[in-house]
Amino acid sequence: QVQLVESGGGLVQAGGSLRLSCANSGRTFTNAMGWFRQAPGTEREFVATINWSGARTAYADSVKGRFTISRNNAKNTVDLQMNSLKPEDTAVYYCAAGGSVSTIIADYNYWGQGTQVTVSS
């Protein structure tokens, strides 16, 4: 089974940075990994995704140029470096594993429990 655990969330001022990490304590990654987020009262939304080799990535327009997704298959981890954070980035961030690079929630089969990111103005 794939067991995903996120870490690295917290409280940061606007303009600051955070680095989220997702560890798979189950079987080795063999597929795409993604980050999604959900703010209170809103639907979960796509943030970023990366394929197995790391050669292919995609980002939501709202984070493009500020966030970077990366993965280390030897360590079974995928990270999300978040720079120039804005109050509107405040949300619970979820790591997910899917069969292929996709922006669609339904394409991801496994999910972590989420980590809270709060950006103060």
Side-chain angles (χ1 to χ4, degrees), residues 50-109:
I50 188 168
N51 72 337
W52 162 252
S53 69
R56 185 180 173 192
T57 60
Y59 296 91
D61 288 343
S62 59
V63 306
K64 203 170 292 184
R66 299 187 298 121
F67 291 11
T68 302
I69 190 170
S70 60
R71 68 189 295 170
N72 185 326
N73 292 333
K75 296 182 178 180
N76 283 355
T77 59
V78 59
D79 292 349
L80 185 68
Q81 178 65 42
M82 306 185 296
N83 299 328
S84 302
L85 283 162
K86 305 175 182 179
E88 50 263 45
D89 294 318
T90 295
V92 176
Y93 283 70
Y94 297 90
C95 175
S100 60
V101 170
S102 173
T103 64
I104 301 172
I105 291 174
D107 288 340
Y108 291 82
N109 308 107

Side-chain angles (χ1 to χ4, degrees), residues 6-11 17-22 35 82 115-117:
E6 303 95 336
S7 61
L11 173 65
S17 299
L18 279 176
R19 188 176 184 90
L20 305 183
S21 186
C22 174
W35 285 96
M82 306 185 296
T115 185
Q116 177 70 46
V117 171

